[in-house]
Amino acid sequence: MKELFQIDIRYVKGIGPKKAQLFRKIGIKNLEDLLYYFPKRYEDRTRFVKISELKEGQYQTIKARVLVRAERQSFKRRGFRLLEVVVGDETGKLFCVWFNQLHLKDYFKIDTTLILYGRVEKYAGRLQMNSPEFEIINEDTDEMLDMARITPVYPLPEGITQRSFRKLMRACLEEYLPKITDCLPYDIRSRNNLLNLAKSLLNIHFPENIEMQKQAYQRLSFEEFFIFQLPLALRKFRRKQKKGIAHKVEGELVEDFMRRLPFKLTSAQERVIAEIKSDMARPFPMQRLLQGEVGSGKTIVATFASLIAIQGGYQVAFMVPTEILANQHYQNIRFWIGECRLEGRQINIGLLTSARKEKSALPQVLKEGRVDLVIGTHALLEEEIGFKNLGLVVIDEQHKFGVGQRALLPQKGAHPDVLIMTATPIPRTLAITLYGDLDISVIDELPPKRARTLTLGFSKRNELEAYKIAKEQLRQGNQVYIVYPVIEESFTLNIEGARQMYEEFKENEFKEFRVGLIHGRLRPKEQEKIMQDFKEKKIDILVSTTVLEVGIDVPDITCMIVQYAERFGLAQLHQLRGRIGRGSKESFFILVWDALTPEANSRIEAMLRYSDGFHIAEEDLRIRGPGEFFGERQHGLSELKIANPLTQLHLLKKAREEALRLVGFDPYLNLPQNLKLKERLLRRFPEYERLVLVG
Ligand code: ADP
Ligand code: MG
């Protein structure tokens, strides 16, 4: 028999080539896709809410009859045409309004009965639903499928009706469920009290009752988490079997470095260093994720790890996302280890960026092993860059690199240790599951004696207040950043841009100060020059875009004004805030907003309220939901269709445990009960073929 995924949707009864196109657009290419296309919500159509019982502010479903239909101009917004429909049941009337959707009017013939779903609002003293979803009841309505039950409502494009979709789904479930094989092995299901696949699919689409729907949801979420965790578990398992480098973690060089360090390590740094040491000493490759706020002192930790590798005669590659950052790390690390000696000689450090590469002999010396530590950008990934004996890879600000890029650099050595760093903290439990193949260290403490950073907020009307604070700082000899979301002003968005405001500030508001401009369209060399001038205090105020987001240190900046703060993401704002207060003076982080959406408002509130990155991350996750939060680059959680790591963390953990357990006793997924799973896994993540089949 053909598997579900082998049956093209085109050949399913009732779907022609034209419909098939539409289905493909929503990701349904075959029967399996169809059965895994889940409802967005359900309506209990066995009992409707009466109009007299409707509650303001809630989403509710009613069944009612069309009484009146009318079109008119909007009073409030010129050019907007309203379609108004008054519906009623035996208890009262309700106004329904659609904006600029007059084409819908043919649906609402007087006396038509329909089901409406939407948020009930009070408007001009009466109850109203704005653009509710609706379904007309007529002779096509299937009493059993569409009405007398908990009815699924799907996210569908125009051209596919709820009703036809339900009918199709029902027919396919009836025909194919009896033949379906469950991809989850029986013992996993029974240990975790999970329904079998057939029952789950049936109840996710057409629940017998709410309880069964919940169980189906659990089971299908578990399955999603599980398939997502499996490759991570496999990777972790394989890695621990590989032969890596057992570094000599104690020695002259690291001791020398510690002695010369101009400050005392925080206890968090010490703990993390101990974790790294114990990894590096072991004979399999380290893969450790180091999380820590901007300014928490990750670079020192990475430098320490580098010296461990170097003292055993290995080379280190340290990759960062921007040229500016590469430069800064290069300067800092040179400063820290310049005096350190290994068997009487200096440590050789190289800087590799695409700008410098052409002229430099670095690729050659790297290959010969004459450079101990190379700091660089993506340029490190290029084919011509090779090492004699790469022993450690450090990747800073890992979220700026794709998953693929992350994997490339270590391949230039023979299973070197890998340390990945991120300043975008992810709530710990989630991190464990998201980066399930990595070990995780957290620096949850900032170096002492750092002065406070105050966060303030003003609306655009009061931006002069913000400038007043900036001027006061400038007069005390400090420096200021003013950040804009865009370079050029935008008339469509109706916002000012960095370039125009730079001119403006120079002429007016800040004319007694030296104003500079930096943005991403400048060549890296120019950007560096400007940052250098700023660092050397040849510039007082730097107007910029978010090129600054990633780590440059200028200790005298005590004020940053972020314009149109509503246009920045929470993680981005937090990163920006990390750019100031790097010295010992109290600093001001000032958000200026123009038009606030409720979401933007929550972001700004979070910034005003929380200063530590983990709180910010949790808020971010809460405001945006996991899909957005993780973005496109972090494939996996963002692709989950049904499971939600926020609300189902417990289930996610169980799925992870089961994945690790399974991999432990069937590392190639070759046992008969796991074959179906393997097939699913390879279809979902084809790139794991090598991992699963060959190892
Ligand atoms: P991160 O990379 O996590 O953003 P850095 O490693 O750049 O942080 O450190 C931020 C600043 O704090 C640097 O100037 C560094 O020299 C300093 N620093 C790091 N660790 C300590 C410490 N234990 N005590 C005092 N200052 C520290
Ligand atoms: Mg850093």
Side-chain angles (χ1 to χ4, degrees), residues 101-131:
Q101 284 179 285
L102 293 189
H103 62 279
L104 294 177
K105 71 169 185 244
D106 294 339
Y107 289 113
F108 306 113
K109 302 213 167 69
I110 305 297
D111 268 347
T112 304
T113 305
L114 71 176
I115 294 168
L116 292 144
Y117 169 84
R119 205 170 106 111
V120 179
E121 281 158 48
K122 198 126 192 178
Y123 182 76
R126 64 194 200 196
L127 289 183
Q128 173 170 315
M129 277 185 187
N130 289 333
S131 308

Short mmCIF file of all heavy atoms in Angstrom, two decimals, residues 101-131:
data_model
loop_
_atom_site.label_atom_id
_atom_site.label_comp_id
_atom_site.label_asym_id
_atom_site.label_seq_id
_atom_site.Cartn_x
_atom_site.Cartn_y
_atom_site.Cartn_z
N GLN A 101 -15.53 45.90 2.61
CA GLN A 101 -15.68 44.53 2.10
C GLN A 101 -17.09 44.36 1.57
O GLN A 101 -17.78 43.40 1.90
CB GLN A 101 -15.41 43.52 3.21
CG GLN A 101 -13.94 43.35 3.52
CD GLN A 101 -13.74 42.37 4.64
OE1 GLN A 101 -13.98 42.69 5.80
NE2 GLN A 101 -13.32 41.17 4.32
N LEU A 102 -17.49 45.33 0.75
CA LEU A 102 -18.88 45.33 0.30
C LEU A 102 -19.23 44.07 -0.48
O LEU A 102 -20.38 43.67 -0.54
CB LEU A 102 -19.14 46.57 -0.56
CG LEU A 102 -19.07 47.90 0.21
CD1 LEU A 102 -19.55 49.04 -0.67
CD2 LEU A 102 -19.88 47.84 1.49
N HIS A 103 -18.20 43.44 -1.08
CA HIS A 103 -18.49 42.24 -1.87
C HIS A 103 -19.11 41.12 -1.03
O HIS A 103 -19.68 40.19 -1.56
CB HIS A 103 -17.21 41.73 -2.54
CG HIS A 103 -16.16 41.32 -1.55
ND1 HIS A 103 -15.33 42.23 -0.93
CD2 HIS A 103 -15.83 40.11 -1.06
CE1 HIS A 103 -14.52 41.59 -0.11
NE2 HIS A 103 -14.80 40.30 -0.16
N LEU A 104 -19.00 41.25 0.28
CA LEU A 104 -19.59 40.20 1.13
C LEU A 104 -21.11 40.30 1.20
O LEU A 104 -21.78 39.38 1.64
CB LEU A 104 -19.04 40.31 2.56
CG LEU A 104 -17.56 40.04 2.76
CD1 LEU A 104 -17.18 40.25 4.22
CD2 LEU A 104 -17.23 38.60 2.33
N LYS A 105 -21.64 41.42 0.72
CA LYS A 105 -23.04 41.70 1.04
C LYS A 105 -24.02 40.64 0.52
O LYS A 105 -25.05 40.40 1.12
CB LYS A 105 -23.43 43.10 0.57
CG LYS A 105 -23.54 43.25 -0.93
CD LYS A 105 -24.19 44.57 -1.26
CE LYS A 105 -24.40 44.66 -2.75
NZ LYS A 105 -23.65 45.72 -3.38
N ASP A 106 -23.65 39.99 -0.59
CA ASP A 106 -24.57 38.99 -1.14
C ASP A 106 -24.82 37.81 -0.21
O ASP A 106 -25.80 37.09 -0.35
CB ASP A 106 -24.03 38.47 -2.48
CG ASP A 106 -24.01 39.58 -3.52
OD1 ASP A 106 -24.77 40.56 -3.33
OD2 ASP A 106 -23.22 39.48 -4.49
N TYR A 107 -23.91 37.61 0.71
CA TYR A 107 -24.12 36.51 1.66
C TYR A 107 -25.27 36.80 2.62
O TYR A 107 -25.91 35.90 3.13
CB TYR A 107 -22.85 36.29 2.50
CG TYR A 107 -21.70 35.68 1.75
CD1 TYR A 107 -20.55 36.41 1.51
CD2 TYR A 107 -21.78 34.36 1.30
CE1 TYR A 107 -19.49 35.85 0.83
CE2 TYR A 107 -20.72 33.80 0.61
CZ TYR A 107 -19.58 34.55 0.38
OH TYR A 107 -18.53 33.98 -0.29
N PHE A 108 -25.48 38.08 2.86
CA PHE A 108 -26.38 38.41 3.97
C PHE A 108 -27.78 38.78 3.50
O PHE A 108 -28.27 39.87 3.75
CB PHE A 108 -25.76 39.54 4.81
CG PHE A 108 -24.38 39.22 5.28
CD1 PHE A 108 -23.28 39.94 4.81
CD2 PHE A 108 -24.16 38.18 6.17
CE1 PHE A 108 -22.00 39.64 5.23
CE2 PHE A 108 -22.87 37.88 6.60
CZ PHE A 108 -21.80 38.60 6.13
N LYS A 109 -28.41 37.84 2.79
CA LYS A 109 -29.79 38.10 2.38
C LYS A 109 -30.68 38.04 3.62
O LYS A 109 -30.42 37.28 4.56
CB LYS A 109 -30.23 37.02 1.37
CG LYS A 109 -29.32 36.99 0.15
CD LYS A 109 -30.07 36.62 -1.12
CE LYS A 109 -29.24 36.89 -2.34
NZ LYS A 109 -28.06 36.00 -2.49
N ILE A 110 -31.71 38.89 3.60
CA ILE A 110 -32.62 38.93 4.75
C ILE A 110 -33.17 37.53 5.02
O ILE A 110 -33.48 36.78 4.09
CB ILE A 110 -33.80 39.90 4.47
CG1 ILE A 110 -33.27 41.28 4.08
CG2 ILE A 110 -34.75 39.98 5.67
CD1 ILE A 110 -32.48 42.00 5.14
N ASP A 111 -33.20 37.18 6.29
CA ASP A 111 -33.73 35.89 6.75
C ASP A 111 -32.75 34.72 6.66
O ASP A 111 -33.07 33.60 7.06
CB ASP A 111 -35.02 35.49 6.02
CG ASP A 111 -36.23 36.00 6.80
OD1 ASP A 111 -36.03 36.40 7.98
OD2 ASP A 111 -37.35 35.98 6.25
N THR A 112 -31.57 34.98 6.12
CA THR A 112 -30.55 33.92 6.10
C THR A 112 -30.14 33.60 7.54
O THR A 112 -29.95 34.51 8.34
CB THR A 112 -29.30 34.40 5.34
OG1 THR A 112 -29.70 34.80 4.05
CG2 THR A 112 -28.25 33.32 5.27
N THR A 113 -29.99 32.32 7.84
CA THR A 113 -29.48 31.97 9.16
C THR A 113 -27.98 31.75 9.05
O THR A 113 -27.51 31.14 8.08
CB THR A 113 -30.14 30.68 9.67
OG1 THR A 113 -31.54 30.87 9.63
CG2 THR A 113 -29.70 30.37 11.10
N LEU A 114 -27.24 32.23 10.03
CA LEU A 114 -25.80 32.04 9.96
C LEU A 114 -25.18 31.94 11.35
O LEU A 114 -25.80 32.27 12.36
CB LEU A 114 -25.14 33.13 9.12
CG LEU A 114 -25.06 34.56 9.63
CD1 LEU A 114 -24.28 35.40 8.66
CD2 LEU A 114 -26.42 35.16 9.82
N ILE A 115 -23.94 31.45 11.31
CA ILE A 115 -23.17 31.35 12.55
C ILE A 115 -22.11 32.43 12.47
O ILE A 115 -21.46 32.60 11.44
CB ILE A 115 -22.52 29.96 12.65
CG1 ILE A 115 -23.62 28.91 12.81
CG2 ILE A 115 -21.55 29.90 13.83
CD1 ILE A 115 -23.14 27.51 12.65
N LEU A 116 -21.95 33.17 13.55
CA LEU A 116 -20.98 34.26 13.56
C LEU A 116 -20.02 34.08 14.71
O LEU A 116 -20.42 33.65 15.80
CB LEU A 116 -21.71 35.60 13.74
CG LEU A 116 -22.58 36.02 12.56
CD1 LEU A 116 -23.81 36.73 13.06
CD2 LEU A 116 -21.78 36.89 11.61
N TYR A 117 -18.76 34.40 14.45
CA TYR A 117 -17.75 34.28 15.49
C TYR A 117 -16.92 35.55 15.50
O TYR A 117 -16.41 35.97 14.45
CB TYR A 117 -16.85 33.08 15.23
CG TYR A 117 -15.63 33.04 16.10
CD1 TYR A 117 -15.70 32.49 17.39
CD2 TYR A 117 -14.41 33.54 15.66
CE1 TYR A 117 -14.58 32.45 18.20
CE2 TYR A 117 -13.29 33.51 16.47
CZ TYR A 117 -13.37 32.96 17.74
OH TYR A 117 -12.27 32.94 18.54
N GLY A 118 -16.79 36.16 16.64
CA GLY A 118 -15.96 37.36 16.71
C GLY A 118 -15.94 37.93 18.11
O GLY A 118 -16.57 37.40 19.02
N ARG A 119 -15.19 39.02 18.23
CA ARG A 119 -15.10 39.67 19.52
C ARG A 119 -16.24 40.67 19.65
O ARG A 119 -16.48 41.47 18.75
CB ARG A 119 -13.78 40.41 19.61
CG ARG A 119 -13.29 40.61 21.00
CD ARG A 119 -11.88 41.13 20.92
NE ARG A 119 -11.91 42.54 21.24
CZ ARG A 119 -11.38 43.04 22.35
NH1 ARG A 119 -10.77 42.24 23.19
NH2 ARG A 119 -11.45 44.31 22.59
N VAL A 120 -16.90 40.60 20.76
CA VAL A 120 -18.03 41.49 20.97
C VAL A 120 -17.55 42.78 21.61
O VAL A 120 -16.84 42.76 22.60
CB VAL A 120 -19.07 40.82 21.89
CG1 VAL A 120 -20.25 41.75 22.12
CG2 VAL A 120 -19.52 39.52 21.28
N GLU A 121 -17.92 43.89 20.97
CA GLU A 121 -17.52 45.18 21.51
C GLU A 121 -18.72 46.07 21.70
O GLU A 121 -19.76 45.89 21.08
CB GLU A 121 -16.54 45.86 20.54
CG GLU A 121 -15.14 45.31 20.66
CD GLU A 121 -14.33 45.57 19.41
OE1 GLU A 121 -14.35 46.72 18.95
OE2 GLU A 121 -13.71 44.62 18.91
N LYS A 122 -18.54 47.04 22.60
CA LYS A 122 -19.61 48.01 22.78
C LYS A 122 -19.25 49.20 21.91
O LYS A 122 -18.15 49.73 21.98
CB LYS A 122 -19.65 48.44 24.25
CG LYS A 122 -20.94 49.08 24.61
CD LYS A 122 -21.51 48.36 25.81
CE LYS A 122 -22.93 48.69 26.15
NZ LYS A 122 -23.33 47.86 27.30
N TYR A 123 -20.18 49.61 21.04
CA TYR A 123 -19.90 50.74 20.18
C TYR A 123 -21.16 51.59 20.10
O TYR A 123 -22.22 51.07 19.75
CB TYR A 123 -19.48 50.24 18.80
CG TYR A 123 -19.12 51.36 17.87
CD1 TYR A 123 -17.89 52.01 17.99
CD2 TYR A 123 -20.02 51.80 16.90
CE1 TYR A 123 -17.57 53.06 17.15
CE2 TYR A 123 -19.70 52.84 16.07
CZ TYR A 123 -18.48 53.48 16.19
OH TYR A 123 -18.16 54.53 15.37
N ALA A 124 -21.03 52.84 20.42
CA ALA A 124 -22.17 53.76 20.42
C ALA A 124 -23.34 53.18 21.21
O ALA A 124 -24.50 53.20 20.78
CB ALA A 124 -22.60 54.09 18.98
N GLY A 125 -23.03 52.59 22.32
CA GLY A 125 -24.06 52.10 23.23
C GLY A 125 -24.69 50.78 22.85
O GLY A 125 -25.62 50.30 23.50
N ARG A 126 -24.19 50.16 21.77
CA ARG A 126 -24.80 48.89 21.38
C ARG A 126 -23.71 47.83 21.21
O ARG A 126 -22.53 48.16 21.04
CB ARG A 126 -25.55 49.07 20.07
CG ARG A 126 -24.58 49.43 18.98
CD ARG A 126 -25.25 49.95 17.74
NE ARG A 126 -24.30 49.80 16.64
CZ ARG A 126 -24.41 50.41 15.48
NH1 ARG A 126 -25.44 51.19 15.23
NH2 ARG A 126 -23.51 50.21 14.54
N LEU A 127 -24.10 46.58 21.21
CA LEU A 127 -23.13 45.50 21.04
C LEU A 127 -22.85 45.28 19.56
O LEU A 127 -23.75 45.32 18.74
CB LEU A 127 -23.64 44.21 21.68
CG LEU A 127 -23.66 44.21 23.22
CD1 LEU A 127 -24.12 42.86 23.72
CD2 LEU A 127 -22.29 44.56 23.80
N GLN A 128 -21.60 45.04 19.27
CA GLN A 128 -21.22 44.93 17.86
C GLN A 128 -20.06 43.95 17.70
O GLN A 128 -19.21 43.81 18.58
CB GLN A 128 -20.79 46.33 17.41
CG GLN A 128 -20.22 46.39 16.03
CD GLN A 128 -20.05 47.84 15.58
OE1 GLN A 128 -20.95 48.67 15.75
NE2 GLN A 128 -18.91 48.15 15.03
N MET A 129 -20.04 43.26 16.55
CA MET A 129 -18.86 42.46 16.18
C MET A 129 -18.26 43.10 14.94
O MET A 129 -18.97 43.39 13.98
CB MET A 129 -19.24 41.02 15.83
CG MET A 129 -19.41 40.08 17.00
SD MET A 129 -19.73 38.40 16.38
CE MET A 129 -20.09 37.54 17.91
N ASN A 130 -16.95 43.32 14.95
CA ASN A 130 -16.28 43.85 13.77
C ASN A 130 -15.70 42.72 12.94
O ASN A 130 -14.96 41.89 13.45
CB ASN A 130 -15.15 44.79 14.16
CG ASN A 130 -15.68 46.09 14.72
OD1 ASN A 130 -16.79 46.51 14.38
ND2 ASN A 130 -14.93 46.69 15.60
N SER A 131 -16.04 42.70 11.66
CA SER A 131 -15.57 41.67 10.74
C SER A 131 -15.59 40.27 11.34
O SER A 131 -14.56 39.60 11.37
CB SER A 131 -14.15 41.97 10.26
OG SER A 131 -14.08 43.27 9.77
#
